[in-house]
Amino acid sequence: MKLNSITVKLGGTILILFLIVLFPLIYTIDQLFSSYFYSQKMEQIDFFATKYSETITDVNDKESYHMFEMISELNNVDLFIFNNKGVILNSTGLLNFKEGKSVGEIIKNPIMNKQHLSIEYNDSKTSQTYLISGEPILINNRVSGGLIVVSNMESINTSIAHMRSWLMISVIGSLLIAIGFTFFISRKLSAPLLKMVHATREIATGPLKTGLSITSNDEIGTLAKAINELGRELEDFRSNRREFFANISHELRTPISYIKGYSHVLKNSLYRNEEEKKQYLDIINDEATRLTTLINDLFELSKMEEGRLELNIEALDITNIVISSINKVNLKANEKKIKIISDLPITTPLFHTDGYRLEQVLINLLENAIRYSDDGRAIMVKVTNDQNYLYVSIVDQGVGIPENDLPYIFQRFYRVEKSRTRVAGGTGLGLAIVKNIIDLLSGHIEVQSVSGAGTTFKITFPLKESGDEDE
């Protein structure tokens, strides 16, 4: 396992966080237990000092001290009594507090002022620390002396040492458990990431469709789904790009071949008469026009897909746009004796759109209807609306579209019958352009068709400002 791997970094981070929490906690527990032992011992000797000072009726009566030795042994403490002059009258023999010696001012003054005494005393000779508790001996409400209880800190230090030993054992055990737990968790958390790294490397080197089987509902699962979707989209993009280049090369090759072939015939005067010459020139002109249309459609579609198509949004009447579109395609319709019937309401609400682009959509759909309708048929253009939406329907009686082809007709270069489309003069980009423009205008287009009976395109626009986001 590499030291710079995500598993090590994640595990190290978790372990460091654990230690950051653990050590202050251990320190706090140590201080709490130390304070507890100290306060318990201090309360104990305070209780002895208070209790036994009340039993003494005369500091000079040594007969009343006969219980001191027994009390000292039973409670593991030492005691001594001094009079109001600070002279020790009786002692169990601890430290320098011997009978006949005087106590220091730090002990005497609080007692003589009728105050309770609780201090730590450090013996400079033995370097040991003692707890001292003292109470004044009151006779007739006058201080006759003081009773001092002294406890060695050794028992407290022993208890604290035992407690710290157990704490250390607990820390070591916790660290071992934490290391194992951290390793397990870091492997568990990093495993999906490592799978995603492997999947993205596969995507980078060739195979685009990945099969990440990460089903969690957290951010890791979301990222895995995104990588799977990215792989599918890249695979689709690769397929579409391959198909696009195949289609565009074919679409360009055909008119170029015609132009090259017939120009060669004309250049070398291989025609029989002027009529045949004119026929070849017409073919060259038609193919040049078709080539120009293809290039223009490609350029416009590219701008739409990249979001670079500028829209001129304004409030317009849909009926005017429909009438204008019909007028522009009537010449082609008349050539095939096709009648375009319009069903327009007397009044329609104004709605915000780009009139030029909407007319481009309608002309494209009408030309498609004319192109794939037999001579003498009819095309219906109908406009309706309700409170929220505006509807435009174009219904033809043409050859129709097979049901299996309907989901794909808005894709670039998709053709239902390629040979028929080529004869009809289509580029295979018209419906793709229509779909992109309607999306930019915040509209929706749907198609219904029965093969051999005709096709209906229905466009829906919301009665609000269309295409605001693209303005």
XYZ file of all heavy atoms in Angstrom, residues 1-2 14 68 97 104 183 219 222 279 285 288 335 365 367 395 408 434:
152
model
N 0.847 -1.201 0.000
C 0.000 0.000 0.000
C 0.884 1.253 0.000
O 1.785 1.387 0.821
C -0.900 -0.005 1.238
C -1.902 1.138 1.269
S -2.909 1.106 2.763
C -3.760 -0.445 2.550
N 0.631 2.146 -0.913
C 1.433 3.357 -1.019
C 1.091 4.326 0.112
O -0.056 4.430 0.537
C 1.184 4.032 -2.365
C 1.625 3.199 -3.560
C 1.346 3.947 -4.854
C 1.788 3.136 -6.067
N 1.505 3.835 -7.334
N -8.473 9.995 10.036
C -9.401 9.501 11.062
C -8.649 9.239 12.370
O -9.126 9.584 13.458
C -10.109 8.224 10.576
C -10.985 8.535 9.360
C -10.943 7.614 11.684
C -11.605 7.317 8.719
N -5.819 9.158 71.020
C -5.155 9.659 69.803
C -4.406 8.584 69.025
O -4.478 8.505 67.800
C -4.198 10.790 70.173
C -4.884 12.136 70.222
C -6.255 12.225 70.436
C -4.145 13.302 70.058
C -6.861 13.463 70.496
C -4.759 14.544 70.107
C -6.118 14.626 70.331
N 6.655 17.906 64.027
C 5.679 18.340 65.029
C 5.811 17.463 66.267
O 4.999 16.563 66.526
C 4.265 18.260 64.444
C 4.102 19.062 63.177
C 3.845 18.432 61.971
C 4.207 20.450 63.207
C 3.697 19.154 60.806
C 4.056 21.179 62.047
C 3.809 20.531 60.839
N 4.259 26.673 63.241
C 4.489 27.872 62.439
C 3.264 28.780 62.401
O 2.126 28.382 62.710
N -8.406 1.352 9.841
C -7.991 0.655 8.622
C -9.209 0.085 7.889
O -9.336 0.226 6.664
C -7.014 -0.469 8.980
C -6.556 -1.269 7.799
C -5.595 -0.772 6.933
C -7.100 -2.529 7.537
C -5.179 -1.510 5.835
C -6.689 -3.271 6.450
C -5.719 -2.765 5.595
N -23.033 10.997 -1.463
C -22.295 11.691 -2.515
C -21.441 10.732 -3.347
O -21.256 10.939 -4.554
C -21.401 12.782 -1.903
C -22.135 13.969 -1.316
C -22.685 13.709 0.069
O -22.511 12.569 0.579
O -23.296 14.625 0.653
N -23.718 9.168 -5.821
C -24.055 10.152 -6.847
C -22.909 10.326 -7.842
O -23.120 10.416 -9.055
C -24.389 11.497 -6.189
O -25.463 11.314 -5.256
C -24.800 12.529 -7.228
N -29.218 21.067 -69.239
C -29.619 20.092 -68.230
C -28.469 19.828 -67.245
O -28.675 19.772 -66.033
C -30.037 18.788 -68.917
C -30.504 17.717 -67.954
C -30.851 16.420 -68.669
O -30.801 16.331 -69.901
N -31.201 15.415 -67.895
N -25.991 23.404 -60.719
C -26.557 24.482 -59.905
C -27.345 23.921 -58.717
O -27.225 24.405 -57.581
C -27.458 25.361 -60.770
C -28.046 26.523 -59.979
O -27.341 27.437 -59.576
N -29.366 26.468 -59.736
N -24.921 22.487 -56.188
C -24.216 23.570 -55.495
C -25.130 24.215 -54.456
O -24.713 24.530 -53.333
C -23.722 24.606 -56.488
N -46.538 23.785 -57.123
C -45.877 22.922 -58.105
C -46.385 21.484 -58.014
O -46.396 20.761 -59.015
C -44.369 22.953 -57.885
C -43.723 24.281 -58.260
C -42.246 24.314 -57.918
O -41.763 23.311 -57.326
O -41.578 25.322 -58.206
N -41.132 22.850 -41.384
C -42.143 21.802 -41.233
C -43.071 21.756 -42.445
O -43.447 20.667 -42.915
C -42.943 22.027 -39.950
C -42.169 21.851 -38.626
C -43.041 22.219 -37.433
C -41.651 20.432 -38.468
N -42.330 22.734 -45.549
C -41.585 22.190 -46.687
C -41.442 20.675 -46.569
O -41.500 19.956 -47.581
C -40.219 22.852 -46.782
C -40.277 24.293 -47.289
C -38.896 24.913 -47.444
O -37.935 24.339 -46.891
O -38.788 25.967 -48.098
N -50.669 19.408 -40.108
C -51.142 18.058 -40.424
C -51.044 17.854 -41.936
O -51.561 18.659 -42.707
C -52.605 17.869 -39.956
C -53.054 16.426 -40.204
C -52.754 18.244 -38.483
N -36.403 9.009 -33.279
C -35.091 9.430 -33.774
C -35.148 10.533 -34.825
O -34.097 10.966 -35.301
C -34.358 8.219 -34.380
C -34.353 7.010 -33.493
C -35.171 5.919 -33.783
C -33.562 6.958 -32.359
C -35.183 4.793 -32.963
C -33.564 5.846 -31.528
C -34.388 4.770 -31.836
O -34.398 3.668 -31.023
N -35.223 22.406 -36.217
C -36.544 22.730 -35.671
C -36.585 22.469 -34.165
O -37.021 23.314 -33.374
C -37.634 21.905 -36.392
C -38.948 21.936 -35.615
C -37.858 22.428 -37.796
